[in-house]
Every structure is written in C-alpha cells, then in structure tokens.
C-alpha cells in the first residue's frame, strides 16, 4: 500500500480553522487556545513594552505563568503553588510527539524538546535558567530535573538519587535573603549523562563560588544556610546530649550564627525539607549514608565557633572569654583544647632560624576564628558534592550525550555589595552575553553570509561590560588578582588603580560621597560595591597552625576534610603552588566559569527566563515597573522583536530535504538544492512569507520547523504503529499456536488419565468380583461341611438308637480320601473332569451307584403339569433307592419336565463317570435341572 501522507498545513488562523469542517489540513498554530492572551509572544500584533506587559499580566492572573518566544521560555514566579505539575501533566508532555506545538508552554515542554533533540540530532543539549534573585530559578531547575529523570529512567534507582540531591544541595547551599526565602548562594551546573538509546547512565554536578561570608555574617532580615537551623532543631535527644546542645526549644536561639532573636522568627515552611527528610535523602546516597553523624558533628562545631568570643578590644591580646565553648569545639573536632586555643589566639612567626609565638589581637583572633568557621563549612560542602558525584557516576553503557541544566545565582543588588555580588553579577553577564550571541549575533551574521535581508534588528550587547570586569591585565578582577600578589597591596590601592584605568568607561563610575565604593552599570541596572575586604576575601586566609591541627585530628572525617588533594581543586577554592604567582578565589572562579561557557557553546542551548512580578514576594501582585525592568534588561523585549522580524531556524538544503521528504508527496522531492526546498515547503503548505532561501541554507519562520517536525513524527508514528501491528499479529499467532498445542497436550493427557482410571476401575471391579466369588465359594464350602457334619450326626444317632436303615450300607462309610477331594472341589469351584480315582472305580458297585436322594422339604415344582410326590426325608429304605419320577409332557414327549430339588452327597461325585459331572454340578448348585431322556452314566440313577 502507498504510505499515508500527513495533511498539509492550514493557512487559516486557529479560530477560523475550528469553524471550517471541510478543511482537512492541520491548524497552523493553536496558541490562542492555551489560556487567555497569546502564549507565543512573537505572534502578538505589536511588540511594544505595553503589549508584552498586558499579555503577560493577563496570563499571570489566569494562572498561566509560562509564555514562549521562539527558543525562549518566560516564567513568572507565582509565589504560590499551582496545579501545573501533576503526574497527568507530565505524562501528557512525555507522550507528545511535538510538545512545543501540541501543548501549552511549560518547563516540561523545554525538557521534552531537549531530550528529543538529543536523540534526533545526536547532539548534547543545555538549558540555561537565568533571572534575578527570587525569580524562581531553583524551583524551575527542580521541575526540569523531575521531567528528565522520569522520561529517561534507567531501570535502577539512579533517577531517585538524582532527585534526592535537591533537598541536600538546597539545605547546604540556599539561605534566606532580602529578595528570596530560598536563594541559591552558589552556582550549579548539573549534567545528566545519557547513552545512545536515551537512557540515563549517570550524572555529574559542578558547583561555583559558595558564598562563604554568609556563614559568619548576614544582613538584617537575612539568615544563614538552611541546614544549620535544620540540624540544630531536629537532632534527637541522644545526639543533643552527645553534642552538648541545650535542651528545649531554645537550641536554635542559643547560637549567634543563626541570627535570631527568638525561635519564632524562623519560617520552617520556607525550608526545602525538615531534618527527617534530610536524613532520608542522605540515606539514598550510599556514600553519605554512613557519614551523617560526622556531618552533623562538623555543623555543630561551626555553630559553637560562632559563640566563641574574646576578652578585650581592638589591639589587646586575645583571650578566650568562655573556655567551655573552646572545649566543646575541641571535643567535636577531636583535638586538644589547649592546642586549639593556642592556634586561634597566637601565631607562629619565623625570625631568622627560629620560630617565635606572637599573641593575636582580638580583631585578628576573630578573623582567624571566622576563617576556621568558613573553612569547616565550605570543605564540608565540597565533600558532600564530591560524594554525591561518586554516587551518581555513570554506569552501564558508555556515555554519548548529556543534557546540562545551569542553575546559577541570579543578579543581585543589596544595600551593601562585596566581592561575592561582583562575582555573581559577572557570571550573569557572561550568560547574558551567551544568550545575545545565540539569539542575535550568530543569527545576524548568518543572515549576512547567506544574503538574507531582514531589515534592521537592534539589540543591546554587553560585550564592553564583560571586558570591563574580565579583560586580561586591565579588567577589575585581573587588577584584583595582581594586587593580591604584592605584599603591600591593599583595598585602597586596588580601588585607585581601577578608577584610573576605567575612569572614562561608560559602565564604570565613582562614588563621590563614598571614597571606598564604585558603581558598575550592569544589564539589569546599576550596582554599587564596597571595596573594603576585597583582597582579604580573595586571599581567603587560614592559619597554617589550624590546618596542621585539623590534619592531625583523632577524627578521620575531619582529617579527610583538610587533607591535601593531589587533583585540581574544585571551583571557588584557593590553591597555592610553589610558583611565585598567587592564585586566589577569583582566579579559580574565572577558570571554572570560562570552562562552563565553553561547554555550553558546544551544545544546543535552550533558555528559560525567570522573572518576579513584585519585590515583596507576594502572590497575585503584578507590578508593572518591576516586570518592565526585568523584561527589558533580560533581553526578552529585544528577543521578541528579533524573532518577529527574523527567521530563528535555519537548516542546510540537504538536511531539510532528507529529513522532511517523508511528509510530502514523492513528486515534490525529485528536485535538489534550492528548487527542491521550495517545492517541498510549498507541498507542505508553508507560505512564501514564512521562509527565506539563502545560498546554502533555508531560513524558517517562527513555528514552521516545529510543525514540520510534528508532521514527521506523526508519519513515523503511523509507520511504527503498522510495524507494531505486524509484530503483534505474529506474536498473537505464535501464542495461539502455543495455546492450541498446549490444549491438545492437555486433552491427550486427560484421555490417557481417563483410560488409566477406567483400567484401574476395571481391575478393581474384577478384584471385587473375584473376592465376591471367593466369598461365595467359601460360603458354599461352609454349607457343604455343615451338611456333612449333620449327616454324620444323624447316622451316629441312628446307630445308637438301633435304626439300621439300609442294612447293607448303614455301617459302611465312604473312603476318607474321597470325601476330602469332594470337599476341596466344592471349595475351589472346580469339579474333577479327568479320570476318576482308581480306588473309587475299583470299589464295590454299592459305593459307586449308591446315592441318597432327599426331597426338598416343602419345595414344589414351579411348573405343576403334574405333581411330583415328595420323597421321604429319612434316606434309603430297605427296598433300595427311591426313584424320582417325572411324567413326560404332552407337548414334548420323551422330555422330562422337571425334577424336585434334591441334595446329593458331595463325596459321592468322584464315584460317577466324568460325563455326568456337569449334570451333577448343576444339581448341586441350582437344585434343579432339565434332564435329557437318556443320559449316559446316570441311567441307573434316573431310571432307578
């Protein structure tokens, strides 16, 4: 049969298409059907700021927080839970052939597009999630990960382990800030590794720049990392006693690092998980399950270090105010209390060939204590990330592709901004530059190369801003690393250098009212930074005495945290080499960020822009000014305008022809090159306004490629269904044959079983009949014996009483052997048929022919033609044998009709000739017999 072709694209709008029952073409788009407003921003009649805001607000108030613009997904944080992430919704996007076309905009649609694109194009994918702090990037990354873990389940618990990393990383890496209750204080790039068949084989997590300063200091209204509160509140009674925690609900209030006035200030509902859920997540990760107690011990040591204070002020020598706190820390870290106090309050200095101990001032001792606190927590964080990667490492088939999810910290602007905010905003500038290149620069250069005229497309480029921060030798971060190299370097000298270097830069300005601050104009807005402490944070100093003390701890877990690693340290950590140049915090972060950008450039990128509707974290509150600033600064407005004017998808001629020749008639694919492309698109129902043909490539308008892909997948699905039908029919016939054979075998076995049962029943019946016959024979033998015994008794009585009976025979007795043989014959049911005993044959005639016939008492003939007179029962008379007479019937002369029942002494049978045995047996067994007129051998008996 000819292959079924997909219907052409309909050029009518969706509203008109639904009213045209005769139209067999597919609808061109259905964006208007997915909630109020327009779900595709490029299809708006106007691309002005007001039109975009009005459309976004209309959809936001209706609960549709997602809107699409080409390759960009716009997500508005609702600050409340919505029924958009049910299992039914996930399965709908999972089973869809083209979710970007068939279903409304959603994070699931982006994830599905990335997964299908990886398999169809054999290319790794990446999803960049960006936005300001509090815009919902972390939650969006979790939703994306849930879909990818579900759709690519490998049959093991790998997807469960991947999902369980979320509560762990959020607890250790997120905290409450001014703008967000669950703000990520580190960057994360999670790569899910897949085989060629699309099965997840492993995962790897890369982290960037954990905010260490938050551990020891927070702004008013902010909090420390979630895990510190969770562990302090959730430990069991036995663990509280072991760690020295105060009993009761005031455990959280007793630690200064938690920045709480009372326990009620903590909103536990905003936390990613409670202590029980955190321990369950640890239990899923095999490499962390047995390390839970050690991790809680280190966290408690961090909390106790926050309570450590000193007597005196300023330049006074530092002395511990409360020795019990130092003792608690030393007990938790398994080291000597005196050595720990000495390492914090003094420092060893080399003078010539000797080492001298110098007391630390109170300010310096506080810095040393804070450095140890930050080192313990940051090294614990790195250790957890390392163990998570060990448990998620790839297994099974070789990894071919990956899908990466970038969950980087959002753009930040606080009342006081320091080095951490500069690094965070710089990372967002790098991602914004990558977005600009993907959406604008690469597209425009491709247009010019192919000779496509799309008019004037304008966009804002942040290339100059990136160079201001990261340019070698003259960039702000480069000058900071250089200043740390000089022994006399300071924050003030570094600030003076950057002011003189970038005084005329458009994105840099000085603060006249504050000589220690400077301002940078980022793409979302201006941010003022305080230069105080930049060098110290970049150096990230830690007393060598404390390092040695931790390395010689009695706790193996603490030793592991501070051991020197031979491999390259993780991003954000400080490494010191034997070379002359110092490598600080900034250098490690820049290197890791450049590697991230290089990795993303080798993949096909998908963008999710998260925005917040207001600055107060309130639901159902849409503020125009806040949304307008974010839409403009994030490049969404420019991206929509560029998408409307341009053609976002471009493919080589050969790729388009080979990929979509299945969805059009064969006559349209006979041509090659530009003519073949034009014929194919025309046959598919694509208008001339929706594509442009260049020198080597074709440029497709918004949604055209998605619709072609949808038709291609539908065609492939129809063929797959046909193949499945054939395979299922073959399997059904095969199963039917097996069932028939099994039924035949069962019937045969049943017949054999029934035959065996019948044979067994027949054998049992024969055994029963044989037993019954034996019983009857036994019974007859008993009757014969009784008769014999009774006759013997009568003879004895008659001899005693003087009754002689027959004189000749009364005193005679049959031979004993003859009686025994007669009795045995009666018992066995067999009468002798051979020659009779010679002794019986040679006996006198009176023994051979004497037979006592007794008439049955009271028994008469059944047929009474003629009464037969009963014989006397007393045996022989003197005249000899009584004759049993029977008159012949008139109907049959010469035939004896019937004889009365007689008894024959069984011991006389051997005395008769063999020819008379049958007749005698019938006489005994039946009691009556039909006699012939003349019977050889018994003539003397019958005729008398």
């Amino acid at each position: 049969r000819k292959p079924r072709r997909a219907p052409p694209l309909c050029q009518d709008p969706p509203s008109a298409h639904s009213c045209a029952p005769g139209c067999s073409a597919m609808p061109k788009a259905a964006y208007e059907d997915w909630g109020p407003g327009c779900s595709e921003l490029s299809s708006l009649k106007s691309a002005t700021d007001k039109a975009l805001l009005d459309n976004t607000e209309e959809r936001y108030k209706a609960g549709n927080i997602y809107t699409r613009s080409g390759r960009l997904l716009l997500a508005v944080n609702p600050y409340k839970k919505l029924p958009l992430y049910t299992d039914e919704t996930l399965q709908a996007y999972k089973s869809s052939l083209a979710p970007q076309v068939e279903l409304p905009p959603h994070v699931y649609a982006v994830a599905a597009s990335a997964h299908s694109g990886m398999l169809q194009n054999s290319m790794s994918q990446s999803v960049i999630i960006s936005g300001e702090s509090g815009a919902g990037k972390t939650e969006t990354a979790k939703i994306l990960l849930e879909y990818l873990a579900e759709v690519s389940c490998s049959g093991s618990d790998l997807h469960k382990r991947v999902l369980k990393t979320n509560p762990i990383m959020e607890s250790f890496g997120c905290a409450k800030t001014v703008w967000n209750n669950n703000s990520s204080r580190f960057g994360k790039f999670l790569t899910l590794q897949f085989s060629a068949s699309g099965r997840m084989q492993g995962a790897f997590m890369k982290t960037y720049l954990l905010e260490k300063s938050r551990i020891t200091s927070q702004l008013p209204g902010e909090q420390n990392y979630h895990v510190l509160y969770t562990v302090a509140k959730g430990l069991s009674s036995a663990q509280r006693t072991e760690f020295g925690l105060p009993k009761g609900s005031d455990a959280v209030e007793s630690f200064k690092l938690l920045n709480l006035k009372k326990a009620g200030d903590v909103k536990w509902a905003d936390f990613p998980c409670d202590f029980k859920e955190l321990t369950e997540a640890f239990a899923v990760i095999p490499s962390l399950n047995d390390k839970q107690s050690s991790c809680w011990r280190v966290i408690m040591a961090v909390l106790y270090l926050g309570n450590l204070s000193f007597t005196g002020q300023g330049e006074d020598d530092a002395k511990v105010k409360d020795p019990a706190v130092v003792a608690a820390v030393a007990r938790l870290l398994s080291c000597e209390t005196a050595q720990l106090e000495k390492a914090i309050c003094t420092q060893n200095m080399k003078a010539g060939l000797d080492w001298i101990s110098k007391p630390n001032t109170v300010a310096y001792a506080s810095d040393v204590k804070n450095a140890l606190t930050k080192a313990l927590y940051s090294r614990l964080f790195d250790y957890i990330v390392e163990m998570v990667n060990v448990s998620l490492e790839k297994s099974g088939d070789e990894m071919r592709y990956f899908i990466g999810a970038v969950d980087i910290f959002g753009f930040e602007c606080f009342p006081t901004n320091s080095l951490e905010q500069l690094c965070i905003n710089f990372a967002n500038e790098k991602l914004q530059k990558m977005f600009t290149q993907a959406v604008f620069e690469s597209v425009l250069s491709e247009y010019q190369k192919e000779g496509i005229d799309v008019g004037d497309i304008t966009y804002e480029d942040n290339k100059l801003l990136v160079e201001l921060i990261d340019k070698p030798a003259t960039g702000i971060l480069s000058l900071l690393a250089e200043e740390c190299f000089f022994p006399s370097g300071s924050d003030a000298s570094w600030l003076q250098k950057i002011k003189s270097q970038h005084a005329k830069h458009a994105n840099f300005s000085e603060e006249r009212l504050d000589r220690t601050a400077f301002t940078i104009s980022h793409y979302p807005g201006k941010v003022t930074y305080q230069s105080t402490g930049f060098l110290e944070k970049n150096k990230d100093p830690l007393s060598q005495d404390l390092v040695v003390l931790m390395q010689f701890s009695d706790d193996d877990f603490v030793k592991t945290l501070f051991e020197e690693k031979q491999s390259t340290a993780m991003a954000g950590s400080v490494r010191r080499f034997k070379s002359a140049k110092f490598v600080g915090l900034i250098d490690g972060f820049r290197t890791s960020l450049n590697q991230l950008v290089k990795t993303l450039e080798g993949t096909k990128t998908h963008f999710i822009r998260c925005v917040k509707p207001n600055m107060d974290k309130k639901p159902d509150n849409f503020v125009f000014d806040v949304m307008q600033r974010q839409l403009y600064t994030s490049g969404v407005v420019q991206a929509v305008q560029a998408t409307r004017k341009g053609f976002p998808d471009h493919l080589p001629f050969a790729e388009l022809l080979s990929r979509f020749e299945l969805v059009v008639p064969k006559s349209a694919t006979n041509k090659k090159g530009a003519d073949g492309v034009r014929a194919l698109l025309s046959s598919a129902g694509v208008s001339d306004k929706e594509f442009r043909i260049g020198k080597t490539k074709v440029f497709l308008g918004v949604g055209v490629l998605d619709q072609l892909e949808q038709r291609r997948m539908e065609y492939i699905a129809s063929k797959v269904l046909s193949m499945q039908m054939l395979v299922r029919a073959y399997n059904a016939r095969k199963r039917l044959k097996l069932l028939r054979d099994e039924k035949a075998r069962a019937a045969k076995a049943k017949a054999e079983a029934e035959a065996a049962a019948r044979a067994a029943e027949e054998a049992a019946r024969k055994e029963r009949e044989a037993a019954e016959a034996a019983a009857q024979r036994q019974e007859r033998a008993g009757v014969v014996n009784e008769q014999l015994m009774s006759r013997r008794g009568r003879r004895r009585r008659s001899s005693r009483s003087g009754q002689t009976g027959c004189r000749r025979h009364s005193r005679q007795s049959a031979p004993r052997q003859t009686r025994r043989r007669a009795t045995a014959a009666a018992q066995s049911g067999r009468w002798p048929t051979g020659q009779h005993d010679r002794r019986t044959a040679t006996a006198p005639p009176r023994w051979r022919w004497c037979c006592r016939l007794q008439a049955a008492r009271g028994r008469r003939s059944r047929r009474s033609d003629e009464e037969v007179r009963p014989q006397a029962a007393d045996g022989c008379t003197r005249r000899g044998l009584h004759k049993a007479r029977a008159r012949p019937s008139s109907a049959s002369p010469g035939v004896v009709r019937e004889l009365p029942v007689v008894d024959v002494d069984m011991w006389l049978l051997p005395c008769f000739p063999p020819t008379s045995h049958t007749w005698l047996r019938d006489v005994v067994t039946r009691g009556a017999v039909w006699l012939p007129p003349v019977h050889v051998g018994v003539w003397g008996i019958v005729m008398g």
Side-chain angles (χ1 to χ4, degrees), residues 137-148:
K137 299 181 299 298
T138 302
E139 291 297 323
T140 302
K142 288 167 58 177
I143 297 169
L144 179 77
L145 189 61
E146 288 176 0
Y147 180 88
L148 293 176

Side-chain angles (χ1 to χ4, degrees), residues 450 452 647 649-653 656-657 677-678 681 690-700:
E450 294 290 330
I452 303 297
F647 302 88
D649 300 310
H650 42 89
L651 299 174
F653 295 155
L656 182 74
L657 292 173
V677 169
R678 186 176 289 105
L681 293 177
E690 294 181 315
F691 69 92
R692 294 287 186 275
I693 296 179
K695 299 177 181 178
T696 60
K697 295 182 179 181
V698 57
F699 295 80
L700 303 176

Side-chain angles (χ1 to χ4, degrees), residues 180-466:
N180 189 1
N181 293 336
N182 190 35
S183 176
S184 296
R185 310 315 302 160
F186 72 105
K188 179 178 67 174
F189 180 49
L190 178 64
T191 57
L192 303 180
Q193 302 162 351
F194 296 88
S195 63
S197 61
R199 289 287 184 180
M200 187 190 303
Q201 299 297 318
F204 183 81
M205 183 187 303
K206 183 77 171 178
T207 58
Y208 305 92
L209 194 65
L210 177 70
E211 186 183 15
K212 297 181 182 180
S213 62
R214 179 167 297 274
I215 303 170
T216 56
S217 63
Q218 305 93 35
L219 295 175
E222 294 189 346
Q223 293 179 359
N224 216 320
Y225 290 102
H226 294 321
V227 69
L228 301 178
Y229 303 86
T230 304
V231 173
K233 181 178 182 295
L235 291 175
S236 63
S237 300
Q239 291 173 326
R240 285 174 177 270
T241 304
E242 179 185 357
F243 299 152
L245 266 175
K247 298 181 180 180
S249 61
D250 58 347
V252 179
E253 303 174 12
S254 61
F255 296 108
K256 296 179 180 180
L257 290 183
L258 300 184
N259 195 20
L260 293 175
K261 295 181 180 180
K262 57 182 179 179
D265 295 339
V266 181
K267 295 182 180 180
W268 300 105
D270 296 334
F271 280 51
C273 62
D274 56 18
F275 185 74
K276 181 181 178 181
E277 294 172 344
L278 182 61
T279 55
E280 291 175 353
F282 265 72
V284 174
I285 308 299
S287 53
L288 288 177
N289 186 25
D290 57 345
K291 302 295 183 182
Q292 293 189 39
S293 180
S294 300
C295 293
W296 312 150
R297 185 181 296 275
V298 173
I299 288 177
M300 295 310 303
V302 169
L303 291 175
Y304 273 108
L305 279 172
N307 291 350
L308 183 61
S309 58
F310 307 93
T311 59
Q313 295 179 353
E315 299 299 326
D316 298 339
D317 292 344
K319 292 184 179 180
V320 176
K321 186 175 182 179
D322 187 0
V325 178
V326 182
V329 176
R331 184 181 67 255
L332 291 170
L333 297 178
S334 300
C335 61
E336 296 292 335
T337 304
Q339 294 179 357
L340 178 61
E341 182 177 355
K342 181 180 179 181
I344 294 175
C345 297
T346 61
Q347 58 177 327
N348 292 325
M349 301 179 62
K350 190 172 184 180
L353 298 178
D354 298 328
W355 288 88
I356 60 175
S357 179
K358 175 185 176 182
N360 292 331
T361 63
V362 174
Y364 192 82
S366 297
D367 293 339
V368 173
K369 177 202 69 172
N370 291 337
L372 177 60
T373 305
K374 291 185 288 186
L376 282 171
Y377 189 84
S378 61
R379 289 171 185 255
L380 176 62
F381 179 83
D382 294 341
Y383 175 83
I384 290 175
V385 173
E386 182 180 355
M387 292 298 101
V388 167
N389 286 331
V390 169
S391 66
L392 300 181
E393 62 183 357
K394 63 182 180 181
S395 60
D397 299 337
E398 182 181 358
M399 189 269 290
R400 295 287 299 274
Y401 315 108
F402 70 86
I403 297 178
V406 180
D407 179 17
I408 207 82
F409 13 57
F411 181 83
E412 293 182 348
C413 180
F414 297 122
T416 301
N417 302 285
S418 186
L419 179 62
E420 292 87 358
Q421 280 68 44
L422 178 61
C423 294
I424 289 172
N425 295 337
F426 170 62
N428 282 272
E429 293 286 355
K430 293 280 285 187
L431 295 179
Q432 177 66 17
K433 180 183 178 182
M434 187 174 180
F435 172 76
T436 303
Q437 290 177 345
V439 177
F440 302 107
E441 291 182 359
S442 60
V443 174
L444 291 178
S445 62
E446 199 73 27
Y447 289 160
Q448 295 175 0
K449 181 180 178 181
E450 294 290 330
I452 303 297
D453 183 16
V454 293
D456 296 331
I457 298 179
T458 60
Y459 63 94
E460 294 186 5
D461 187 10
N462 65 340
K463 181 179 180 180
L464 295 177
L465 182 58
V466 173

Side-chain angles (χ1 to χ4, degrees), residues 37-97:
C38 187
S39 61
E40 174 60 52
L41 294 177
S42 60
S43 63
L44 288 172
K45 296 180 180 180
S46 175
T48 60
D49 297 349
K50 186 177 185 305
L52 293 176
L53 287 171
D54 291 341
N55 185 78
T56 305
E57 181 185 16
E58 184 180 5
R59 292 181 59 79
Y60 170 76
K61 291 183 178 180
N64 297 320
I65 61 174
Y66 296 114
T67 309
R68 185 187 296 116
S69 178
R71 298 169 60 184
L72 174 68
L73 179 68
L74 181 66
V76 184
N77 192 346
Y79 291 114
K80 64 179 181 180
K81 293 184 178 180
L82 295 175
L84 300 177
Y85 314 103
T86 61
D87 294 338
E88 292 77 9
T89 305
L90 190 148
Q91 293 300 326
Y93 282 88
K94 180 180 177 181
S95 59
S96 176
L97 297 177

Side-chain angles (χ1 to χ4, degrees), residues 745-884:
R745 288 194 298 269
K748 182 179 180 181
K750 183 179 179 180
E752 293 177 353
E754 291 177 352
R758 287 194 300 270
E761 184 179 357
E762 183 69 17
R765 185 184 64 79
K766 291 181 179 180
E767 290 180 359
R768 288 195 304 271
E769 292 180 351
E772 291 176 357
Q776 292 177 0
R777 291 194 297 271
Q778 197 74 12
E779 184 180 0
R780 288 196 299 270
V783 172
V784 170
N785 290 333
E786 289 181 0
Q787 293 177 353
L788 291 175
M789 296 300 296
S790 62
R791 290 189 182 96
R792 289 177 184 176
R794 285 195 300 271
R795 284 196 296 270
R796 292 192 187 102
R797 287 193 299 272
S798 62
S799 63
R800 291 194 190 102
S801 60
Q803 297 178 1
T804 58
C806 182
R807 291 184 178 181
R808 292 185 298 173
H809 307 302
S810 60
R811 291 181 177 89
Q812 302 295 331
S813 61
R816 189 172 299 172
Q817 182 179 2
T818 303
R819 292 198 303 271
R820 285 201 301 267
R821 293 177 64 184
T823 303
Q827 292 178 354
S828 62
R830 293 179 292 103
W831 298 91
T833 58
Q835 285 288 345
H836 50 278
D837 192 3
R838 292 183 179 180
R839 292 188 301 172
T840 305
T842 57
R846 63 179 180 272
W847 293 104
R848 294 165 51 196
W849 300 103
C850 181
C851 178
R852 300 173 63 240
L853 301 177
Q854 296 178 346
R857 297 174 181 177
R859 299 176 66 180
R860 302 176 64 88
S861 174
R862 285 175 293 181
R863 299 186 64 179
S864 55
D865 291 344
E866 196 173 342
E867 288 291 332
V868 179
R869 191 170 45 187
Q871 304 294 324
D874 54 353
C876 299
T877 61
R878 293 182 180 272
R879 295 176 61 186
L881 294 173
H882 291 285
K883 294 180 282 290

Side-chain angles (χ1 to χ4, degrees), residues 914-942:
T915 53
S916 63
H917 289 172
T918 301
W919 175 78
L920 291 175
R921 181 177 61 191
D922 292 338
V923 170
V924 175
T925 57
R926 300 180 183 178
V929 67
W930 294 94
L931 298 178
V934 178
H935 195 284
V936 179
V938 293
W939 184 262
I941 295 177
V942 178

